[in-house]
Amino acid sequence: MPSSTVVSTPPVSDEVAAAFAAYFHGGLGPSHSKLTTAFAAGGYSGDDPYRPADGVPNKEQRVYTVVSAAVRRPQTAKRLVEALLTPLRVAGHFDPERPGYEAHHFKSLRQALNRTGWDLTVEGVLTPLGTIDLTTGGREAIDEHIGRLRRSTDDPGALLGSAKDLLESTAKFVLEEVGMPAGKKDSFDAIWHIARDRLGVLPQLVDASLPGSAEIRTILQSSWRIAEQANSLRNLQGAGHGRTLPTGVTPEMALLVVREACSVAEFMLTTLDRQMGRR
C-alpha cells in the first residue's frame, strides 16, 4: 500500500534559516568544524562564507547564509536540514534534560518547518507533515502520527490536512487488516463506509433492542460526520489548494478538528484490535 501523501516542498524558507541560525547565536551550538561537515553533506559548501584563517563570519551568520542559499536552490535542501539537525541532536539541543535545550528555539524551528509542510519530532527528527507510510510503518506509523497531532498547536492549514490524511490512512489500514485493500480509485467516503461496515460500527448495525441503542447510533453517526467534515475542510483549503483557510477556521478550530479526528481514528483502531484479538 502506498503512502497516503507525498511531500514535494523542500523544508527550507527564510523563516527556517532564521530559526536554525538562532541555535548558534552568541557562539552557542555545535562547532565551526561540525557546520563545515554539515554544509558539505548537504551539498552547499560553495555557499559557505566562512574564512577559517580569520574566524569570520560567526556561526549564526554562516548558518543563515547557507540555509538561505538552499531556499534559492532547494535541490538538496532536505539533506542539508538533516545534516544540521544531527549535530544539534548529538549536543542535546532537543533533549529537555540536557543543558543545551531551549524550548523557544525548538518551537520556532518546528513552526517554521510546519509551514513548509514538514514536522520536527520532539527528538529532533525531520518528518513529512501529514504523511503516514503504511508500507513501511504500518500501525506504528499511524499511532506515531496520532501522537504527533495531539501535540500540535501550529499552522491551521497543515493541521487540517494532517487530520484528513490520518483519517484516510486509518480507514485504508483497517481494510488492509481485514483483507479488503482499498482500490486506487476508491473515494474517501467509500473506504470509510466499507471500513465501518467491516468493523460493525455503522449506525444501522446497532441492535435496536439494546438499551441506549438510539444514543449509540447517534454517536456512531457523529463520528462519521467528523471524518466527513474534516475531509471536506481539507478539500476547501489544504496543502494542495494554497492553504487559503475558510472563514471561521481559527487555529483553535483547526486544533479541535485534529483532536476529534484523532479520537475517531483511535476508536476505529481499538475496535479493530478487539476484533482481531489483540486486546
Side-chain angles (χ1 to χ4, degrees):
M1 188 187 303
S3 300
S4 61
T5 59
V6 177
V7 174
S8 58
T9 305
V12 287
S13 66
D14 290 339
E15 185 182 6
V16 170
F20 261 122
Y23 274 97
F24 299 86
H25 179 70
L28 298 175
S31 66
H32 275 289
S33 63
K34 286 184 171 58
L35 287 180
T36 298
T37 300
F39 297 157
Y44 292 92
S45 291
D47 300 284
D48 183 7
Y50 187 56
R51 301 193 301 274
D54 302 322
V56 293
N58 62 37
K59 291 187 289 184
E60 183 177 11
Q61 291 173 318
R62 286 183 74 189
V63 170
Y64 185 81
T65 299
V66 174
V67 178
S68 294
V71 176
R72 299 189 297 273
R73 300 191 322 281
Q75 291 84 351
T76 58
K78 179 174 179 288
R79 201 162 68 203
L80 172 66
V81 169
E82 290 178 330
L84 285 171
L85 289 172
T86 297
L88 288 172
R89 281 198 303 271
V90 172
H93 290 281
F94 302 114
D95 184 351
E97 303 299 321
R98 300 274 291 277
Y101 179 76
E102 293 286 351
H104 64 286
H105 286 335
F106 173 79
K107 181 179 180 180
S108 295
L109 181 56
R110 188 180 194 189
Q111 288 178 333
L113 288 168
N114 282 174
R115 282 186 265 275
T116 68
W118 295 80
D119 190 34
L120 186 65
T121 70
V122 292
E123 294 83 16
V125 176
L126 182 71
T127 62
L129 188 65
T131 297
I132 306 175
D133 191 340
L134 295 179
T135 303
T136 60
R139 172 63 178 275
E140 288 186 6
I142 297 179
D143 288 340
E144 179 183 343
H145 192 68
I146 290 174
R148 189 163 63 239
L149 281 178
R150 286 195 181 280
R151 296 190 297 268
S152 295
T153 58
D154 303 320
D155 188 342
L159 287 174
L160 291 180
S162 294
K164 180 264 185 183
D165 292 333
L166 168 65
L167 291 166
E168 183 171 21
S169 293
T170 297
K172 287 181 177 179
F173 178 77
V174 169
L175 294 182
E176 185 78 14
E177 288 286 283
V178 299
M180 296 182 60
K184 291 183 178 180
K185 295 184 179 180
D186 287 347
S187 68
F188 181 91
D189 289 13
I191 62 174
W192 259 86
H193 180 84
I194 299 171
R196 292 158 67 217
D197 180 51
R198 294 298 91 187
L199 293 182
V201 294
L202 287 172
Q204 57 268 37
L205 298 179
V206 176
D207 186 346
S209 65
L210 294 174
S213 60
E215 290 78 6
I216 293 171
R217 287 180 178 181
T218 299
I219 290 170
L220 290 176
Q221 183 62 23
S222 296
S223 71
W224 158 240
R225 292 290 289 173
I226 288 169
E228 179 187 42
Q229 297 309 309
N231 180 52
S232 295
L233 274 177
R234 164 59 176 79
N235 290 337
L236 286 172
Q237 62 77 50
H241 298 78
R243 289 191 184 170
T244 301
L245 290 172
T247 301
V249 180
T250 62
E252 295 79 17
M253 176 60 69
L255 189 57
L256 173 63
V257 173
V258 163
R259 299 285 167 82
E260 293 299 318
C262 287
S263 295
V264 171
E266 286 179 326
F267 166 68
M268 295 288 284
L269 293 172
T270 53
T271 301
L272 173 68
D273 284 343
R274 177 174 53 78
Q275 294 190 8
M276 300 289 285
R278 294 195 288 251
R279 291 179 67 86

